[in-house]
Amino acid sequence: MSDITLSDVGMMFDIGHRKITALRGIDAVLPSGSFTALIGPSGCGKSTLLRLIADVLAPTSGEIRIGDHAPDAARKRHEIGFVFQDPTLLPWRSVVENIRLPVEVAGQPAARQPEELVELVGLKGFEQARPAQLSGGMQQRVAIARALALSPKVLLMDEPFGALDEITRQKMNIELLNIWRETGTTAVLVTHSISEAVFMADRVLVLSANPGQVADRIDIDLPRPRALDLMQDPAFHAHENAVRAALFSGERTAA
Amino acid sequence: MPGGPMAEATSDAPAPPRRPFAMARSGRLTGLVKLLLAVAVIVALWQAIIFWWQVPAFIAPTPGAVAGAFVSHFQEIVSSIAYTLRSVLLGMGLALILALILAGLFTLSPLLSRALLPLVIILRTAPILAIAPILILIFGRGLTTSIAVVVMVSFFPIMVNAAKGLGSTPPNALELMRVAGATWGQTFHKVRLPYALPYVFTGIRLASAGAVLSAMLAEWLSGAPGIGTFILEASSYRDQPRMWAGVVTSVISAVAFFALTTQAERRLAG
Ligand SMILES: Nc1ncnc2c1ncn2[C@@H]1O[C@H](COP(=O)(O)OP(=O)(O)OP(=O)(O)O)[C@@H](O)[C@H]1O
Ligand SMILES: [Mg+2]
């Protein structure tokens, strides 16, 4: 199983003359196959938290487990899919070649064919294009397809839809929920959009800044599968309001 | 949603992946014309100077005499320059491999790079003239010594540039490979090396400028049968036309080799 357990996780950065506490005392359990949204002000440590879970950085205090192991075990077994805040595509590789990168690295058969993933993210016809020939939003969709290539047990996404227009964004969200349901991956999504967080997640962790802490946790018990008309539902608005209240109260206590 | 066909995505690309073929071709043509013009001017000046100042033949021969010597010694010149160029190519190739290995090791450990770099710099600054006798002692008077000298001269610029290139990989690309669970070797050949390629080619170009000359230097000291030895022999017989036929051949080869690596740098890494 690949539930993610965070126990009293803290992260301090040493930037020469002083230390920055990016995260402090993060406690959370993200059950296997669940969908969690992270929301919070800029600079509160969302990207840092994803990096810690992916074993890009090691926490300076506390402990992280993925299933029964430390995160490096999942990383080395190629079980983590990561959509970075920047697309981070290799400029000399075509779209399909970029998507195939994790498959090449793992030396395992692809869970989904790169061509199929290209279609899924709406880039059919651009298989052989280079990243420089794509718009920012298209590049970001390639990055999403790449993260899905191996059907990862843990899927970490850092504002993957930030560069997309509203309609494409909604489409991608629906596609993402389908994939998530099919594969049973444990998903964590960083977003600045309250409605996106509520629409996608089982639970929303609201972070506050300086230092980054969990200000509140809001469970979203809306039925699945979720469709766009859910956004008209009063229950949906109630959850949105709860997240907004938590976000702003975090802001007030910090100020 | 992009309904746009592929053709649109590639032909109207904002990025400049490669210069259009026609342009590159016409650029090469005018380059050739310029080169021929330059050669013609040099030959004409050469002839004119000898004519006006009545330079005696034992100081500088006429272009015609040199051309004559070139024709009558053609076989020997071809085999000599082939010998020299072989040591240049093998030496540069070996220098490239060694430079990439060392620069790669440097990315593994900054400590190692701090320990080894001074040693490399000492090797670099020691005059070849002093080291060559030792090399001859070890490698004999043949091709191997020439190769060793070319390696010693070429290694440094390639290594320094490769190290710089390998160190300039965008951090987020490294993060991508780490999350993918890539080994050091996979990260090296899939990400670090491609990002370093432009730097490596700059190093090769810089090294190629002196490679032919250093191979000739090795021949002067070891007596290996390359173009350097050909020139030295002709000079000891005071056979000016023959010597200059060798000099012109070596200069043209060196310039051509440099032009070749410059082209390679532009095409593959530009
Ligand atoms: N490598 C690093 N070195 C030093 N400080 C860092 C590093 N990475 C992050 N930080 C600091 O940690 C804090 C949190 O950064 P992080 O990128 O996690 O924020 P974020 O919540 O993702 O913000 P945003 O919403 O703007 O992306 C910031 O104060 C940042 O300066
Ligand atoms: Mg961030």
Side-chain angles (χ1 to χ4, degrees):
Chain A
M1 293 318 268
S2 37
D3 33 51
I4 302 168
T5 315
L6 304 159
S7 321
D8 197 24
V9 170
M11 186 68 199
M12 226 150 48
F13 287 110
D14 206 340
I15 53 167
H17 53 291
R18 69 195 184 99
K19 286 184 157 94
I20 295 179
T21 307
L23 293 167
R24 181 195 288 169
I26 307 283
D27 275 304
V29 178
L30 319 179
S32 188
S34 68
F35 201 123
T36 305
L38 287 181
I39 196 165
S42 178
C44 72
K46 303 180 296 294
S47 299
T48 303
L49 189 57
L50 288 197
R51 285 200 175 92
L52 292 177
I53 296 172
D55 187 41
V56 172
L57 301 170
T60 45
S61 61
E63 198 193 19
I64 301 173
R65 312 283 288 176
I66 298 180
D68 299 325
H69 301 279
D72 70 318
R75 178 177 66 79
K76 286 176 186 153
R77 279 199 304 259
H78 320 290
E79 291 174 353
I80 299 178
F82 203 127
V83 184
F84 297 92
Q85 201 161 355
D86 303 317
T88 316
L89 304 176
L90 300 180
W92 57 88
R93 283 182 172 240
S94 69
V95 166
V96 268
E97 285 166 350
N98 266 292
I99 295 174
R100 203 177 285 128
L101 181 74
V103 180
E104 286 172 23
V105 167
Q108 297 165 359
R112 288 162 184 275
Q113 287 313 308
E115 291 75 14
E116 180 198 338
L117 285 164
V118 169
E119 205 171 337
L120 192 83
V121 296
L123 289 176
K124 201 169 166 47
F126 289 90
E127 286 86 350
Q128 301 309 324
R130 308 276 145 179
Q133 300 165 335
L134 304 177
S135 73
M138 291 158 86
Q139 292 181 23
Q140 197 58 306
R141 279 181 276 161
V142 177
I144 293 165
R146 178 180 59 194
L148 296 171
L150 281 174
S151 265
K153 295 225 168 75
V154 174
L155 180 58
L156 309 171
M157 295 166 283
D158 199 347
E159 294 179 47
F161 306 128
L164 298 184
D165 64 282
E166 192 64 23
I167 295 174
T168 313
R169 192 182 177 121
Q170 301 287 12
K171 267 192 193 164
M172 297 295 304
N173 276 338
I174 302 272
E175 289 293 356
L176 188 58
L177 284 181
N178 286 338
I179 291 172
W180 165 73
R181 215 160 30 117
E182 273 174 40
T183 57
T185 178
T186 310
V188 183
L189 173 75
V190 170
T191 176
H192 282 296
S193 155
I194 296 173
S195 69
E196 186 170 86
V198 172
F199 183 75
M200 301 292 282
D202 302 321
R203 78 185 52 67
V204 179
L205 294 183
V206 180
L207 300 189
S208 60
N210 302 315
Q213 280 172 307
V214 178
D216 206 347
R217 174 195 144 157
I218 291 142
D219 290 314
I220 313 290
D221 45 11
L222 297 170
R224 291 188 189 271
R226 294 179 186 170
L228 283 179
D229 50 13
L230 177 69
M231 290 187 171
Q232 321 293 338
D233 202 299
F236 186 86
H237 294 301
H239 282 104
E240 272 189 327
N241 288 335
V243 173
R244 188 172 297 116
L247 206 51
F248 280 86
S249 79
E251 194 69 344
R252 262 199 304 280
T253 51
Chain B
M1 289 271 95
M6 194 54 224
E8 214 177 282
T10 46
S11 67
D12 295 341
R18 198 161 283 179
R19 234 172 301 149
F21 185 63
M23 245 175 77
R25 190 180 184 119
S26 76
R28 210 176 304 147
L29 268 183
T30 60
L32 194 68
V33 170
K34 266 190 224 159
L35 189 72
L36 285 177
L37 261 176
V39 169
V41 168
I42 289 172
V43 170
L45 268 179
W46 180 353
Q47 181 72 59
I49 288 169
I50 287 174
F51 183 75
W52 273 324
W53 279 284
Q54 307 221 314
V55 180
F58 64 86
I59 291 182
T62 60
V66 172
F70 186 83
V71 171
S72 56
H73 293 93
F74 185 70
Q75 293 258 307
E76 203 186 338
I77 287 177
V78 167
S79 70
S80 302
I81 194 69
Y83 186 93
T84 303
L85 286 180
R86 193 173 344 140
S87 60
V88 167
L89 287 179
L90 291 173
M92 292 269 299
L94 193 58
L96 175 64
I97 293 169
L98 292 176
L100 284 179
I101 290 175
L102 197 67
L105 286 177
F106 284 179
T107 67
L108 260 182
S109 142
L111 203 75
L112 192 74
S113 97
R114 241 173 292 149
L116 280 182
L117 206 57
L119 207 76
V120 175
I121 291 174
I122 288 173
L123 268 184
R124 166 64 186 171
T125 45
I128 294 292
L129 212 61
I131 294 178
I134 307 172
L135 294 178
I136 292 172
L137 207 67
I138 301 172
F139 296 120
R141 296 190 164 272
L143 197 65
T144 325
T145 295
S146 294
I147 292 174
V149 169
V150 174
V151 168
M152 287 194 58
V153 173
S154 316
F155 172 78
F156 195 73
I158 302 180
M159 199 278 292
V160 168
N161 278 283
K164 196 167 139 207
L166 290 174
S168 71
T169 323
N172 55 9
L174 294 178
E175 216 165 277
L176 168 74
M177 292 307 274
R178 183 175 167 87
V179 171
T183 62
W184 181 85
Q186 286 175 322
T187 305
F188 187 83
H189 102 257
K190 285 185 198 295
V191 172
R192 276 195 195 273
L193 198 56
Y195 270 116
L197 225 47
Y199 295 84
V200 173
F201 272 99
T202 301
I204 291 176
R205 175 173 54 82
L206 293 175
S208 72
V212 174
L213 199 62
S214 51
M216 284 164 62
L217 178 70
E219 291 163 9
W220 286 326
L221 298 168
S222 73
I227 197 77
T229 300
F230 178 90
I231 292 170
L232 194 66
E233 253 175 41
S235 148
S236 68
Y237 283 110
R238 307 204 182 284
D239 188 344
Q240 289 289 334
R242 192 171 122 202
M243 184 186 98
W244 279 95
V247 169
V248 167
T249 307
S250 72
V251 167
I252 289 175
S253 308
V255 170
F257 188 58
F258 182 68
L260 211 72
T261 56
T262 308
Q263 271 296 318
E265 183 190 14
R266 240 187 256 154
R267 301 200 120 227
L268 291 163

